[in-house]
Amino acid sequence: MTPRTITELAAALRDGSATPRTLLSAALAHVDRTEKDLNAYLAVTRELGYAQADAAAHMLEEHPDMASPLCGIPMALKDVLCVDGIDTTAGSKILRGFKPPYTSTAVQRLFDAGAVCVGKTNCDEFAMGSSTENSAYGPVGNPWDIERVPGGSSGGSAATVAAGSVPYSLGSDTGGSIRQPAALTGVVGFKPTYGRISRYGLIAFASSLDQIGPFTRTVEDCALVYAAIAGHDPRDSTSDPRAVDDPLASLHAGVEGMRLGIPREYLGEGTEPGVRDAVQAAFRVLEAQGATLQEVSLPSTDVALSVYYIIAPAECSSNLARYDGVRFGSRVERPSLTDMYLQTRGAGFGNEVKRRVMLGTYALSSGYYDAYYRQAQKVRTLVSQEFEAVFKEVDAIVCPTSPSVAFPMGSHDDPLSMYMCDVVTLPANLAGIPGISVPCGFVDGLPVGLQVIAPRFEDARVMRVAHAYEQATGFHAQLSPYASAAA
Amino acid sequence: MTETATLAAAVDRYEVVIGLEVHAQLLTRSKMFCPCPADYTSAAPNENTCPVCLGLPGVLPTINQQAVDFTVRTALALHCDIPPFTKFDRKNYFYPDLPKGYQISQYDLPLSVNGLLEFPVAGESVRCGITRVHLEEDTGTMHHAGDVLQSATSSLIDLNRCGVPLMEIVGEPDLRTPEAAREYLVRLRQILTYIGVNDGNLEKGSFRCDANISLRPRGAHELGVKVEVKNMNSFRAVQRALESEIERQTGVLDAGGTLVQETRGWVEAQGRTISQRSKEQAHDYRYFPEPDLPPLRLDAAFVERVRATLPELPEARAHRFQQQYGLTAYDAAVLTDTRDEADTYEALVAAGVPAKLAANWQSGDVAALANEHHVPLQHSGLGIDGLTSLLRLVEAGTINGPTAKELLAELYVSGGNPEALVRERGLAQVSDTAELSALVDAAIAANPAAAADFRAGKQQALGQLMRAVKEATGGKADMPLVNRLLRERLSEQ
């Protein structure tokens, strides 16, 4: 059988052709077969999964009509999401052995809906990276070519959906960490509006930019997962109290009459020709669906990357201060406190994390704050204003998700070239607006993603455009070799 | 030269400039950013903690509304402006009692600014500006196996106090003497306890003070080098530490030396300050806006709602007591020292006890008993109602002063109904003129020498005759009446 979507599996659970246990067993078996190639998981939560599968079976039996479409469906969680009693490492050695005594709000909402957890997925350490090569636990193979990276930082969550082990997973996106790996692995990846999904229980990288979101095979599945996790949480003061628009209600509304903007700056020199061709073909598909496409301009795009690499490290330098060896995680024993701090953090953090902690500490230092952090905040406001201005002209923006397709492991050893991977995704984080990546073709057998961006709280509109595109094409139905092998 | 003389000489040549920073824990039910109980003293170590105040990965703070209300209340009591927009910031530094590696505090947009505190020093009114009142969170506490962490073999951390709401009240450098500094703190603590936001306990550290002090030659405009003094856990310690610091700084300046900007700790046992940290060793706290908390908008309606909860403040109440009850300034100040004290007084007066009688008893015998037993009147056996009954008996002349004093002392501890007790024990005052006249005659007859002495002009001799009558009534005689009767009888020839 081919890997199926949430919608298909939910139907199978209701017509008796599958049970939560058979779905979980199949997922676990698939993970067992593929892990040596993919290394997508940092922990497989077999015990938790079976307990949840049995609870889900009960829910389906008792209230088959009331049960959520997610009830009994296996899924995976990026290892930055805390689950009560389950090892949570954020891809870092410094958190080895840490078992949080609580579950993150977004995950709890899925569990309450009857979700079945297969495991915790591999990622760049503390979500810092664009290739998942910064994980302390080894890189993740891209299911389309295991010599290549799956993107990052949520590489494990992307790979496991692309490999067909699970129909969906959760990731986190601070500068593109959901959308870029989705593009590079040929799945759907969605970063909702900042404040839509509670960050409670998400191990923070950069608090003002982090947002949880789903990886799925289809936009409809994406809407299902989003609807289950979105909404206000009193435990996250940055979560928004306004009601969530049901994305399923407008999912099939199409793009007829919609105005879509193509930012001139997003198809610049750095974009690979193959990616440009695929995305431009996608534009024509949307036009054929009745949308009007026009060029727009976001002039601050070139400085957005610099702004991002000041604000994100500044926040991370503070967020990561708690990993001090005093209360949890790993500790290097030393007779003096200062030495203990230095050795623990020196041994526990990888190079990219150290680099960003240093960058951020510098940017916030007395005498440099005004030139870096304060200036970056001003430009961040400018980036938001430019989006607002563009959204007066168009309903949504369409553009590439990543300037390149999946690249070979080890090819981006210069940090700056890695940072360039996020040049078209991170502006949406700076502005707090929603963005989705949907498969839009292949270059030499490697997936390309189309990104759709909309104004704040227009999450449903993002999914509506992506769905219209997806339904007009068949790229989402093309399977990676690991997924086809499951057939 | 004596210490005082040295100080006086120093003050002749140098102007002392003092500014105080007070950290006051708020009496909220829960902590600043999580639902844990804020009461950290009665719990077992680390009992009142949760993932949020433990700083575990992935958790987020939420603002305690009561703490905001209390800080606004304080700001209003200190005549501060409350800007419509305020935000929290992170103050970053590493220490084991600070689990997140940063303290959530307020940096450039505090909750309130530009206040004023007025208080008396040696009969003169002194005004000190309040720079700001802002809100932050307290740290945990550490117990070192050794004097200081650096040399300790181990250290235990208790995070019960971590996250307790803390208000920082920064005063302008408007104070000129250690005594003024002390009186500033006395008045500030009084206001905070009056408005119910802080319990004012210096020893336990719920009310803490740091002092900035510098000296400049008289007439100079530029401020001298500032020294921050810490570790003072009583009003007396603040005054002594500042006096000692004035002497030390004077010594350095007089010897032609230069002072260094530094932090010094007061060592109570040695009666001096010692250097803790120089300016070069000062932390760079890398303040930046707390991204986990949206800015707060405090609209005028909210501020007015909080203002409506402000009780009458001590200064205003003392003034009213003078006007309304005809009390002296001193009595009014004593009776408004705490809100409980003032409430008790007004309850007595409202129950019909004459104002002056209530004032005398409350600030005299009752205060002494409260001190002796460490129990305020309202929690004593007697209670406010019991004292009211007792003072009514005094006012009605049913019992005399000495009897009332004895009863007060007894009932304060054991409790009981004063009226019933007076009846049971027959303590009612003997004020029958005929009965007392007979006893007066008997006393004169029994003490002829004393009677003769008095008639010869020796006033003191009356005492012996008074005692004789008092004893004859078992102490219950109406003594002013006895005095009058004795004088009348002895003046008859």
Side-chain angles (χ1 to χ4, degrees):
Chain A
M1 69 182 188
T2 56
R4 289 174 292 175
T5 63
I6 295 171
T7 317
E8 290 162 356
L9 291 173
L13 285 171
R14 281 161 183 77
D15 69 19
S17 61
T19 70
R21 263 190 175 260
T22 60
L23 294 183
L24 175 61
S25 300
L28 289 169
H30 194 266
V31 169
D32 284 345
R33 277 203 308 280
T34 54
E35 264 305 87
K36 67 176 191 329
D37 290 345
L38 300 181
N39 192 34
Y41 285 83
L42 295 179
V44 172
T45 54
R46 201 172 296 267
E47 208 177 311
L48 172 67
Y50 276 114
Q52 289 175 328
D54 290 342
H58 188 72
M59 283 162 81
L60 285 165
E61 211 166 291
E62 294 282 300
H63 306 287
D65 304 324
M66 303 268 291
S68 156
L70 303 178
C71 186
I73 311 283
M75 57 84 164
L77 300 168
K78 185 179 183 181
D79 204 27
V80 290
L81 290 159
C82 290
V83 179
D84 193 352
I86 301 292
D87 281 277
T88 301
T89 68
S92 181
K93 276 190 283 188
I94 208 160
L95 274 175
R96 197 193 285 273
F98 172 65
K99 288 181 170 57
Y102 55 92
T103 298
S104 68
T105 299
V107 173
Q108 190 60 52
R109 287 182 181 178
L110 293 178
F111 286 178
D112 291 345
V116 176
C117 185
V118 170
K120 305 295 292 293
T121 61
N122 201 351
C123 57
D124 283 305
E125 185 177 8
F126 287 104
M128 296 176 199
S130 306
S131 70
T132 316
E133 290 168 294
N134 295 331
S135 167
Y137 304 99
V140 173
N142 187 321
W144 294 88
D145 175 355
I146 60 167
E147 302 298 315
R148 290 174 184 265
V149 303
S153 66
S154 313
S157 282
T160 192
V161 173
S165 304
V166 288
Y168 79 100
S169 62
L170 290 188
S172 66
D173 189 316
T174 306
S177 283
I178 291 173
R179 290 161 289 159
Q180 184 256 15
L184 270 51
T185 59
V187 298
V188 173
F190 179 43
K191 181 204 91 75
T193 298
Y194 183 81
R196 257 302 167 228
I197 317 289
S198 169
R199 293 184 295 113
Y200 188 86
L202 167 68
I203 293 183
F205 158 19
S207 314
S208 74
L209 301 159
D210 295 342
Q211 193 62 192
I212 295 168
F215 289 95
T216 56
R217 300 203 58 82
T218 65
V219 179
E220 183 181 22
D221 279 3
C222 172
L224 285 173
V225 179
Y226 167 81
I229 61 176
H232 182 241
D233 175 12
R235 289 196 289 188
D236 175 0
S237 304
T238 64
S239 84
D240 198 277
R242 72 192 81 179
V244 180
D245 292 334
D246 179 8
L248 290 161
S250 56
L251 195 66
H252 303 278
V255 292
E256 172 103 53
M258 267 188 145
R259 298 162 305 165
L260 302 176
I262 303 160
R264 143 182 349 134
E265 296 81 3
Y266 283 22
L267 280 160
E269 286 166 28
T271 313
E272 287 176 0
V275 169
R276 181 175 304 154
D277 293 347
V279 170
Q280 278 169 346
F283 297 159
R284 287 192 291 277
V285 170
L286 286 163
E287 239 164 3
Q289 297 286 304
T292 316
L293 273 81
Q294 68 181 86
E295 193 177 79
V296 294
S297 178
L298 294 163
S300 295
T301 301
D302 60 338
V303 289
L305 187 78
S306 313
V307 166
Y308 178 85
Y309 277 99
I310 291 168
I311 290 171
E315 292 181 9
C316 110
S317 72
S318 176
N319 283 334
L320 269 57
R322 68 190 62 197
Y323 308 108
D324 58 5
V326 174
R327 285 147 297 123
F328 54 80
S330 61
R331 175 198 292 180
V332 178
E333 294 289 353
R334 282 290 180 276
S336 92
L337 175 68
T338 307
D339 273 358
M340 189 280 281
Y341 279 154
L342 294 174
Q343 297 295 324
T344 296
R345 289 168 66 83
F349 289 143
N351 284 340
E352 186 57 31
V353 170
K354 286 179 191 166
R355 184 178 294 122
R356 296 198 196 189
V357 167
M358 284 189 280
L359 275 174
T361 302
Y362 181 80
L364 291 175
S365 298
S366 148
Y368 298 97
Y369 182 90
D370 286 342
Y372 293 102
Y373 188 81
R374 193 184 300 279
Q375 188 64 20
Q377 288 292 16
K378 286 184 189 160
V379 180
R380 181 178 185 174
T381 303
L382 193 63
V383 168
S384 286
Q385 288 167 346
E386 287 178 5
F387 274 113
E388 280 164 29
V390 163
F391 287 131
K392 288 201 174 90
E393 296 173 47
V394 297
D395 301 307
I397 286 168
V398 287
C399 59
T401 306
S402 163
S404 75
V405 293
F407 44 88
M409 286 185 191
S411 63
H412 285 42
D413 48 1
D414 166 27
L416 273 180
S417 75
M418 191 72 90
Y419 294 173
M420 293 300 291
C421 293
D422 296 332
V423 71
V424 288
T425 45
L426 61 84
N429 298 81
L430 290 174
I433 55 182
I436 199 168
S437 181
V438 60
C440 76
F442 294 86
V443 177
D444 301 332
L446 296 169
V448 179
L450 172 73
Q451 185 177 207
V452 181
I453 300 169
R456 273 169 67 76
F457 300 106
E458 296 296 346
D459 300 78
R461 189 188 299 171
V462 164
M463 286 179 264
R464 172 182 162 187
V465 174
H467 182 75
Y469 172 78
E470 175 196 79
Q471 294 303 303
T473 60
F475 297 118
H476 68 286
Q478 295 199 28
L479 301 176
S480 75
Y482 288 84
S484 313
Chain B
M1 238 192 294
T2 66
E3 203 170 284
T4 328
T6 321
L7 206 60
V11 172
D12 271 350
R13 296 192 303 283
Y14 299 106
E15 185 186 27
V16 178
V17 177
I18 299 168
L20 300 178
E21 276 178 32
V22 166
H23 285 90
Q25 284 171 353
L26 292 172
L27 290 171
T28 53
R29 281 183 301 277
S30 55
K31 290 188 180 180
M32 186 61 226
F33 298 115
C34 65
C36 289
D39 167 24
Y40 60 92
T41 49
S42 60
N46 295 308
E47 188 180 8
N48 287 350
T49 58
C50 72
V52 174
C53 57
L54 290 174
L56 294 188
V59 293
L60 299 169
T62 48
I63 298 170
N64 181 334
Q65 178 67 49
Q66 197 182 24
V68 174
D69 291 359
F70 279 4
T71 307
V72 170
R73 200 189 284 183
T74 304
L76 291 172
L78 297 175
H79 311 290
C80 291
D81 298 332
I82 297 167
F85 183 90
T86 182
K87 69 175 171 71
F88 288 94
D89 298 277
R90 290 188 185 176
K91 178 180 180 179
N92 296 283
Y93 65 96
F94 284 94
Y95 205 67
D97 65 9
L98 187 70
K100 298 190 298 297
Y102 56 83
Q103 178 193 34
I104 304 179
S105 180
Q106 298 197 277
Y107 185 55
D108 56 345
L109 294 170
L111 202 137
S112 63
V113 293
N114 291 333
L116 180 72
L117 185 66
E118 237 177 322
F119 52 97
V121 180
E124 299 279 309
S125 180
V126 170
R127 293 157 69 92
C128 181
I130 302 288
T131 316
R132 57 192 280 163
V133 180
H134 78 237
L135 193 48
E136 57 188 35
E137 54 177 342
D138 211 341
T139 61
T141 49
M142 292 180 72
H143 306 274
H144 309 312
D147 288 343
V148 292
L149 182 57
Q150 282 68 28
S151 64
T153 50
S154 69
S155 191
L156 298 170
I157 307 169
D158 178 4
L159 294 174
N160 281 346
R161 197 184 72 175
C162 188
V164 168
L166 200 60
M167 203 165 47
E168 183 171 318
I169 303 164
V170 182
E172 288 286 299
D174 290 345
L175 305 170
R176 292 294 173 266
T177 63
E179 193 191 358
R182 180 198 172 110
E183 294 307 318
Y184 168 96
L185 293 173
V186 168
R187 174 50 63 98
L188 181 59
R189 182 176 73 161
Q190 187 189 33
I191 289 174
L192 298 189
T193 54
Y194 241 78
I195 62 177
V197 301
N198 175 259
D199 68 9
N201 194 324
L202 273 77
E203 284 105 70
K204 286 186 181 158
S206 57
F207 183 100
R208 314 197 273 268
C209 173
D210 299 333
N212 287 300
I213 176 167
S214 64
L215 265 56
R216 60 180 165 192
R218 290 235 162 247
H221 289 293
E222 224 164 285
L223 286 169
V225 174
K226 179 177 77 173
V227 167
E228 185 179 20
V229 186
K230 289 178 176 287
N231 295 349
M232 302 163 293
N233 61 1
S234 69
F235 290 141
R236 190 176 129 77
V238 171
Q239 189 169 350
R240 285 183 65 207
L242 290 172
E243 284 167 0
S244 139
E245 196 46 32
I246 291 169
E247 272 184 58
R248 186 189 70 82
Q249 293 191 16
T250 305
V252 173
L253 294 174
D254 282 354
T258 48
L259 290 159
V260 289
Q261 189 177 329
E262 61 182 340
T263 301
R264 300 179 67 87
W266 170 244
V267 185
E268 183 83 34
Q270 299 175 21
R272 66 189 187 102
T273 64
I274 56 166
S275 182
Q276 289 183 326
R277 196 164 68 200
S278 73
K279 187 189 175 188
E280 286 69 35
Q281 293 166 291
H283 292 292
D284 178 356
Y285 290 120
R286 291 172 284 120
Y287 281 100
F288 76 105
E290 166 57 279
D292 288 330
L293 295 171
L296 283 180
R297 283 167 209 281
L298 305 177
D299 62 29
F302 166 73
V303 172
E304 288 317 307
R305 278 200 303 279
V306 176
R307 196 190 300 277
T309 69
L310 268 185
E312 190 179 17
L313 294 177
E315 197 187 352
R317 204 165 186 184
H319 186 71
R320 180 169 63 79
F321 275 23
Q322 289 184 57
Q323 304 290 314
Q324 192 173 340
Y325 305 124
L327 301 182
T328 63
Y330 177 81
D331 279 350
V334 168
L335 290 170
T336 54
D337 185 39
T338 67
R339 199 170 156 186
D340 279 345
E341 199 75 31
D343 288 347
T344 299
Y345 178 73
E346 297 217 86
L348 291 173
V349 174
V353 180
K356 187 64 191 168
L357 183 75
N360 288 344
W361 281 84
Q362 192 182 337
S363 59
D365 289 88
V366 174
L369 285 165
N371 232 346
E372 183 189 334
H373 298 296
H374 304 288
V375 176
L377 173 67
Q378 64 270 29
H379 299 307
S380 71
L382 188 62
I384 293 174
D385 290 347
L387 181 63
T388 306
S389 308
L390 189 67
L391 294 182
R392 276 193 187 138
L393 293 171
V394 173
E395 170 63 12
T398 310
I399 54 173
N400 64 17
T403 304
K405 275 180 201 260
E406 278 171 30
L407 267 182
L408 174 67
E410 183 188 332
L411 293 174
Y412 203 88
V413 177
S414 57
N417 181 338
E419 279 147 9
L421 221 59
V422 165
R423 264 199 314 278
E424 260 168 50
R425 297 190 190 164
L427 296 175
Q429 178 162 258
V430 178
S431 43
D432 181 81
T433 310
E435 190 184 342
L436 287 177
S437 293
L439 292 171
V440 161
D441 288 345
I444 292 170
N447 297 280
D453 283 352
F454 182 81
R455 285 192 176 109
K458 212 174 159 190
Q459 289 289 322
Q460 307 95 296
L462 196 65
Q464 194 183 334
L465 296 166
M466 297 266 293
R467 276 194 297 280
V469 178
K470 187 179 171 185
E471 276 162 27
T473 61
K476 294 181 290 184
D478 178 347
M479 294 312 284
L481 181 56
V482 171
N483 186 296
R484 186 164 62 80
L485 292 172
L486 269 170
R487 284 174 188 277
E488 279 171 14
R489 184 54 54 94
L490 291 167
S491 63
E492 293 166 6
Q493 289 303 322

